[in-house]
Amino acid sequence: MAVNVVMPQMGESIFEGTIIKWLKKPGDKVERDEPLFEISTDKVDAEIPAPAAGVLREIKIAEGQTVPVKTVVAVIEAAGAAPGPAVVKGQPPATQPRVPEKPVELPQPAAPAATETRGSREAIRSSPLVRRLAREKNIDLATVRGTGVGGRISKDDLLAAVAARPAAGGEPHAAPAAAGAAPHVALETAVPHERIYFGRYEVQPMSVMRQRIAEHMVLSKRVSPHVYSIDEADMTQVAQLRAAAKDEFEKQHRTKLTFMPFFVRACAEALRAFPMVNASVDGSNVVLHGEINIGIAVALDAGLIVPVVKNAGEKSFADLQLAINDLAERARGKKLKPEEVLESTFSITNPGIFGGLMGLPVINQPNAAILAIGAIQKRPVVVEDDAIAVRSMVYLVLSYDHRIVDGAIAHQFMGGIKQRLETWSEAVL
């Protein structure tokens, strides 16, 4: 019996996905729930398990292609069925890195997988390519009749609309983005191509994740006036407590005790004391969040992702550590759900684990601030009575949106984090 493998819907607002990598090839045996392929959406990358055991008979969608949810991407011949010939459709030929003889155009990044609106309810369905072309041609997709399944607008539909547009008069303005949809940010080339393509070089297209990160970072720098406040904290007491408790903590909870829950706890308390830092900007409105949801950046081979510890201010210390380790592990294993990277109200990044002394991070929109944690290092410092002692010190850098957070609030917020860390009294076991 043939079992269709479909592009899953990884969240209510997600309408398409990009095949990043096939983990099996036609003719391979697969087990039910065994990872079959990797996808990327505008929310999260994930491994998709096989829906049935059997033999992968056909791959219908090649790596790098973006298709709507529910599209059949492969066929599995269920266990016990008569095998047929293995087929792979649309698979691009393997390519080796090459040195182009002359400057070439870099591949255009795909737009975020967003759905524009036709009126107040009806969704406009289109591919990233179509949305990009519509922006370039200043075509309002709400005026284009889609001939695809469910009214989906194809490239041919868009080109037909361009051809039918009257030559006289100005071009119509592009349709505004749908409410709640992430705006697309074009990744323009900043300098002439002749300043990029010279000598020997190799062209490597950005991955889908890298494109999303690039768009998000460019958008954040355009939208938020970034200001930075730097402080340092004496982590000696926390370091000694962690060293004494880490073995027993791991025995009790079956997970490692890191420094991160100490920082998350300190941030949660400071956010409660200074709610303007736990906020977002919506035009001329300030949205003060009732929950304290802290996103923690996790470095991946292809970039980074920011899973969110929900209601961090309400969790016990042990539950914080369990949540942090669980999210990080599943982020690296591409097991996160879309909702686990949404609804952060504040973010933390930790360049210190790579030896970084400090960093000036880009705000994770729509947060108002992000904290960068440097390396915890032993340094000689001046303590009471002008004595010099060796202490475990860390630099902390807060990037904040100066539209709603002023320096006075930022430094008081940092002071609250510093005091909590330096006078730690909460039991960890």
Side-chain angles (χ1 to χ4, degrees):
M1 180 183 68
V3 177
N4 288 335
V5 182
V6 301
M7 175 64 71
Q9 184 163 13
M10 298 295 290
E12 291 184 1
S13 63
I14 296 176
F15 300 98
E16 61 192 2
T18 301
I19 302 283
I20 297 301
K21 181 180 181 181
W22 282 100
L23 305 176
K24 296 287 185 178
K25 61 181 183 296
D28 285 353
K29 291 183 178 180
V30 296
E31 299 295 331
R32 182 181 176 86
D33 296 329
E34 180 183 11
L36 183 59
F37 61 102
E38 296 178 3
I39 68 168
S40 181
T41 72
D42 64 330
K43 301 298 184 187
V44 70
D45 285 5
E47 287 183 349
I48 305 304
V55 175
L56 180 59
R57 188 54 52 202
E58 180 181 358
I59 290 177
K60 291 179 174 288
I61 304 298
E63 293 178 356
Q65 288 188 304
T66 301
V67 295
V69 298
K70 307 303 181 184
T71 298
V72 177
V73 299
V75 177
I76 293 175
E77 199 71 42
V87 179
V88 55
K89 292 185 178 179
Q91 187 70 35
T95 58
Q96 297 295 328
R98 63 184 181 88
V99 178
E101 297 179 357
K102 60 182 180 179
V104 296
E105 294 290 334
L106 285 174
Q108 291 295 323
T115 301
E116 300 179 48
T117 59
R118 194 194 307 269
S120 60
R121 302 282 295 179
E122 183 183 357
I124 297 177
R125 303 215 170 172
S126 60
S127 69
L129 173 62
V130 169
R131 291 195 291 275
R132 179 172 63 81
L133 289 174
R135 281 187 293 271
E136 291 174 355
K137 303 296 184 181
N138 284 331
I139 290 289
D140 183 347
L141 287 178
T143 66
V144 179
R145 178 177 175 272
T147 60
V149 176
R152 188 176 182 82
I153 300 172
S154 68
K155 178 182 177 182
D156 290 340
D157 296 330
L158 180 67
L159 294 178
V162 173
R165 185 169 55 191
E171 295 183 344
H173 293 289
H184 173 76
V185 178
L187 301 178
E188 306 95 342
T189 301
V191 297
H193 277 174
E194 57 268 22
R195 292 180 59 189
I196 300 175
Y197 298 97
F198 54 86
R200 300 178 60 187
Y201 59 85
E202 175 185 327
V203 177
Q204 295 185 347
M206 287 186 184
S207 67
V208 174
M209 172 177 277
R210 191 76 257 168
Q211 291 175 36
R212 298 295 181 266
I213 293 171
E215 291 169 355
H216 193 62
M217 295 299 98
V218 171
L219 174 66
S220 185
K221 293 294 283 189
R222 285 183 180 178
V223 168
S224 297
H226 283 56
V227 181
Y228 309 94
S229 292
I230 302 174
D231 209 332
E232 63 178 344
D234 187 341
M235 295 290 290
T236 304
Q237 186 172 334
V238 168
Q240 292 172 347
L241 175 61
R242 175 181 173 270
K246 63 180 183 178
D247 291 341
E248 183 61 28
F249 188 93
E250 186 169 357
K251 184 186 298 183
Q252 288 185 21
H253 301 287
R254 300 180 182 273
T255 193
K256 290 185 177 181
L257 176 60
T258 68
F259 283 104
M260 185 56 71
F262 294 93
F263 290 107
V264 172
R265 172 68 85 226
C267 286
E269 294 186 1
L271 289 167
R272 189 176 290 112
F274 298 95
M276 192 60 73
V277 185
N278 196 56
S280 298
V281 178
D282 178 24
S284 59
N285 295 324
V286 177
V287 181
L288 300 171
H289 298 291
E291 294 80 21
I292 294 175
N293 299 337
I294 298 182
I296 300 175
V298 176
L300 308 175
D301 291 340
L304 60 86
I305 197 166
V306 188
V308 182
V309 179
K310 303 288 179 69
N311 294 308
E314 309 303 321
K315 294 184 183 297
S316 68
F317 184 89
D319 285 342
L320 275 179
Q321 182 69 87
L322 289 167
I324 292 165
N325 289 355
D326 173 62
L327 288 169
E329 181 178 351
R330 288 192 292 112
R332 297 185 184 102
K334 299 185 178 180
K335 306 292 186 184
L336 289 175
K337 301 174 183 177
E339 59 268 23
E340 292 175 322
V341 297
L342 298 177
E343 299 181 355
S344 67
T345 61
F346 182 80
S347 297
I348 297 175
T349 184
N350 187 12
I353 61 174
F354 303 108
L357 191 61
M358 66 176 68
L360 303 178
V362 178
I363 296 168
N364 182 31
Q365 298 293 329
N367 298 168
I370 180 172
L371 180 74
I373 302 169
I376 298 174
Q377 298 178 328
K378 288 187 176 181
R379 300 198 300 267
V381 297
V382 178
V383 293
E384 293 181 1
D385 299 326
D386 291 338
I388 296 177
V390 175
R391 311 291 288 179
S392 295
M393 305 296 293
V394 64
Y395 285 111
L396 305 173
V397 180
L398 185 73
S399 299
Y400 52 97
D401 189 333
H402 209 358
R403 292 177 297 174
I404 61 171
V405 180
D406 294 325
I409 295 296
H411 283 284
Q412 291 178 74
F413 175 80
M414 293 285 277
I417 294 175
K418 174 184 173 76
Q419 182 180 20
R420 183 69 169 86
L421 293 170
E422 293 183 344
T423 59
W424 190 272
S425 60
E426 181 180 359
V428 302
L429 294 174

